[in-house]
Amino acid sequence: MKDFAQLFMAIDQTTKTNAKVAAMRAYFETADPRDKLWTIALFSGRRPKRAVNTTLLRSWAAELAGIPLWLFEESYPIVGDLAETIALVLPDNGSSDDLPLHEWIAFQQALTAQDEDARKAAIIDAWGRLDTTERFLFNKLLTGGFRIGISQKLMTRALAQATAQDEAEVTHKLMGDWTPETVTFESLVLANDPTSDQSRPYPFYLAYQMETEPAALGPPSDWRAEWKWDGIRGQLILRGGAHYLWSRGEDLMTDRFPELARALDFLPDGTVLDGEVLAWDHAAHRPLPFAQLQKRIGRKTVPKKLLAEAPVVLRAYDLLEDQGADIRALPYADRRARLERYIKGLPAAAPLILSEWIDFDDWDALAQIRETSRDNAAEGLMLKRAGAPYLAGRKKGDWWKWKVDPLVIDAVMIYAQSGHGRRANLFTDFTFAVWKGEELVPFTKAYSGLTDKEFREITAWVKKNTIQRFGPVRSVTPHHVFEIAFEGIQESPRHKSGVALRFPRMSRWRQDKPKEEANTYEDLLGMLEVYG
Amino acid sequence: MVLQFTEHGIYCPAGDFYIDPWKPVDRALITHGHADHARWGHKHYLATDAAAPVMKHRLGDVSLESVAYDTKMQIGGATVSFHPAGHVPGSAQIRVDVGGEVWVAAGDYKVVDDGLSEAFEPIPCHAFITESTFALPVFKWTAQSELKRQLNGWWAENRAAGKVSIIGAYSLGKAQRVMAALDDQGPILCHAAIENTNAVLRAQGVPLPDTVLVTAETDRKAFPGAMVICPPSAIGSAWARKFGPQSTAFASGWMALRGIRRRRAVDRGFIMSDHADWPGLNTAIAATGAEKVFVTHGYTSVFTRWLREQGYDAHIVDSGYQGETLDDGEEA
């Protein structure tokens, strides 16, 4: 894995995107095809199965390093990465073997069939044959989660350059339900038929957040508006008499939402829809709260009771494939016209509903409509250019999300925990509370929204104002007030406060506000009443 | 107790003096010139001959006496001597002997020889006061020879790519250590904060390569392929951007951790520290033969627990020292 370690070093030793892509491209031009295939898999989130649990890895590493386990555990949060902590504590060894990447992965996969003693012996033997960087990568493979400074998008760009193909086409080829065991580099990347795999989805087109007033977009007549639903983005594929439902994160969700199997009864084969999976109140003809959908997300199989309580539909907004033909290059308005022909007039029992266009004549009128988003169970509006093709990935220009302003509440920070990765050693994860009489009631956590400088400042403060430690969590003197922004609020029996927030983050550090002036629990319940 | 831990600093009742006090006192013995150890405001200072010029440069016209390494002197009822700590040029451990009981306050120290600072000497003692900046088993420094290879390799790559190399390093110690490790590949340019310290060290005979001071008038494009050494805070600043296409680096023990390296957002992190790493701390303490160990600034609680498990009578001491700072800050 020396060439793979070299690739990692090249990526890790620069902050410049072009240099990272160049290094990746050079690797794709020279590496063994089996290693390339695994590299593509790793950088597109397809991990090998976890062969050893991390508790065992920690204890073996501590043992080999000659340190007590508690000392290993104290070191881990400082480093902020388990694979790295292990690589750093192990004793140095001078030389290392050069086994190719795919063989090391096969080595790890073979461990799953072995007993604990054999696994331990094998892992210790492997650590002895790798240098520090290779050990880090080996441990990353073992512990899953391979985020090392290059995104799937950049990897795809490098691969497209190395194989002289169009980037969007390569993006499409890499989608879907493949693993390095089911394909070869040749069949996946070089073969010319992306539909050879009938379950393969198209790359999702992703919108950017609006940065300006909509007037800057030009004449309203060029644009179409619809509600921005708060569900799960999904691509429904009907091919070869079967159906497949993909999430934006390329998870195959087909079995989780069995309702959508009925789409085959209503639509012809060779149809691909883009839309939003929503828990749906058929009687009221409106979405159920997100919390209802959340119950369905975590479950691989769905009990009957839940199917009745929180049935889902696909609220369709685009048609990508019609009669087996890829129609993404057609203008949006034409694709919509075809979509409407299929969806309008379907019986109420069909799990497919059209995401309607909102009529508007000028931007001011639309802005007023946007204000009613929450009443319509939406997060805001989507604006799409009528003449635009369906692009691959996040592209600026033709699709915009225009969300309503978030809800906000001022809360007191009461617990702090340090982050991971590049936020290791900084306190970044906080718990916030509101007043209930003299008591502070915790109601949410948040860990984003501050600048690095602010995090450093609050970290220094936390260190000096810790009341008590509970493992990695510290309780701190109630003092600092933060404005917490969030997208929605729901009743939640699982939380002590009785509420759950959607996408909470710190929108402002209210250094101007004493803790006594933070909001109250009653204020929070008031928001639940209005927006829940 | 030969030495006591007070709110002003480490105090010797037998000699009525303090070591590296953090509040103003009459008589201060100073281990080295970094700002958290050599503070402003004491009446009388005592340091090594090698540390004195930098201290004068930083503290101005203070009452400062100096003494050679390994020279015993009597202060009241205490016999005192200074011994190399290997931290930066002129840095010392301070040995205090009262009636045959010997304590050593090590200040900041490093056990590997960096080829620039006077090399660390283990001093046998009954009680040893140690720092703990990098007292975790994840900190193991790159060998000096490998560090030189990495640093010069980076410089050569940048020169080949038509880029200037800009490295952030603290102005006393680290910056000079970087200079001493460089091959003769091209011009070395220094930020004023660093060049001032260079001048003081050169005047006292510390051998340093030739450097060019960067001023407002300096034509920064006239030194293609140069190595630029500046305080860490200058990286990414308008001052640094004027050098044109560049690769950036930071030299610090913290660069051993990938997360922190990424947070600094520099291209390269060289694992170069003025402090002892985990094996260094452990061998240094063992070599003193001390039974009692006092642990100051750093991972105090973790290191104290570890030392106790190894059989030492170890205690945490709160101090006003900072060690090598992680994010902001100039001194370490």
Side-chain angles (χ1 to χ4, degrees), chain B residues 261-332:
Chain B
R261 202 165 67 232
R262 279 159 61 216
R263 191 156 86 222
R264 292 287 326 200
V266 286
D267 292 318
R268 292 292 298 270
F270 295 104
I271 306 171
M272 183 189 266
S273 179
D274 302 336
H275 299 262
D277 61 359
W278 174 257
L281 289 164
N282 282 287
T283 40
I285 291 167
T288 64
E291 284 172 8
K292 232 184 210 327
V293 181
F294 295 93
V295 181
T296 64
H297 61 305
Y299 294 104
T300 49
S301 61
V302 173
F303 196 44
T304 301
R305 179 173 171 192
W306 160 259
L307 289 173
R308 284 185 181 169
E309 288 185 5
Q310 308 310 302
Y312 293 99
D313 179 15
H315 302 271
I316 299 174
V317 175
D318 287 328
S319 74
Y321 313 133
Q322 280 180 345
E324 186 158 338
T325 52
L326 191 55
D327 283 298
D328 283 332
E330 148 69 353
E331 207 61 82

Side-chain angles (χ1 to χ4, degrees), chain A residues 8 12-16 67-68 70-71 74-75 78-79 84 88-90 148 421-422 424-426 456, chain B residues 136-138 140 246 256-261 263 265-268 278 299 302 305-306 309 326-328:
Chain A
F8 163 72
D12 200 47
Q13 293 184 346
T14 181
T15 52
K16 293 170 190 73
I67 56 171
W70 70 261
L71 184 52
E74 288 282 353
S75 302
I78 307 293
V79 177
E84 187 183 351
L88 290 174
V89 299
L90 293 177
I148 54 167
R422 74 180 288 279
N425 253 315
L426 283 180
R456 282 200 293 271
Chain B
L136 290 177
V138 293
K140 288 182 275 184
Q246 54 191 265
L257 305 185
R258 201 171 153 256
I260 294 173
R261 202 165 67 232
R263 191 156 86 222
V266 286
D267 292 318
R268 292 292 298 270
W278 174 257
Y299 294 104
V302 173
R305 179 173 171 192
W306 160 259
E309 288 185 5
L326 191 55
D327 283 298
D328 283 332

Side-chain angles (χ1 to χ4, degrees), chain A residues 139-310:
Chain A
N139 295 341
K140 276 274 177 204
L141 293 171
L142 264 181
T143 55
F146 213 84
R147 293 219 313 247
I148 54 167
I150 195 158
S151 63
Q152 179 169 352
K153 191 172 169 181
L154 293 184
M155 178 274 289
T156 308
R157 181 176 305 164
L159 183 60
Q161 288 176 5
T163 56
Q165 299 184 74
D166 178 56
E167 191 178 324
E169 197 179 315
V170 175
T171 308
H172 189 193
K173 287 180 173 183
L174 300 189
M175 303 280 293
D177 193 18
W178 60 273
T179 71
E181 283 93 5
T182 60
V183 297
T184 63
F185 181 77
E186 169 75 31
S187 74
L188 181 75
V189 179
L190 303 179
N192 275 324
D193 181 14
T195 56
S196 60
D197 172 2
Q198 72 168 17
S199 75
R200 177 172 290 155
Y202 293 102
F204 283 83
Y205 185 10
L206 306 175
Y208 267 92
Q209 183 80 34
M210 282 270 276
E211 295 156 337
T212 55
E213 288 304 306
L217 298 178
S221 56
D222 289 354
W223 293 86
R224 301 292 176 268
E226 59 187 290
W227 296 114
K228 183 181 186 313
W229 304 110
D230 184 16
I232 308 168
R233 182 89 179 266
Q235 190 178 127
L236 182 65
I237 296 174
L238 309 176
R239 287 187 194 131
H243 79 291
Y244 308 91
L245 181 69
W246 289 95
S247 78
R248 220 187 76 181
E250 278 182 72
D251 275 327
L252 195 53
M253 312 184 288
T254 315
D255 296 339
R256 292 179 199 196
F257 302 108
E259 293 97 325
L260 297 179
R262 289 207 62 200
L264 290 163
D265 301 342
F266 301 101
L267 297 178
D269 211 55
T271 302
V272 177
L273 302 170
D274 185 9
E276 197 89 358
V277 177
L278 293 170
W280 192 251
D281 183 339
H282 283 276
H285 197 72
R286 62 178 279 138
L288 289 163
F290 187 82
Q292 295 296 105
L293 182 61
Q294 202 145 33
K295 290 183 190 162
R296 300 281 306 265
I297 294 173
R299 315 196 63 123
K300 291 236 153 127
T301 55
V302 198
K304 274 215 172 91
K305 184 163 170 280
L306 195 54
L307 265 179
E309 255 174 44

Side-chain angles (χ1 to χ4, degrees), chain B residues 4-16:
Chain B
Q4 296 173 350
F5 302 99
T6 74
E7 59 165 329
H8 284 78
I10 303 168
Y11 178 62
C12 175
D16 190 23

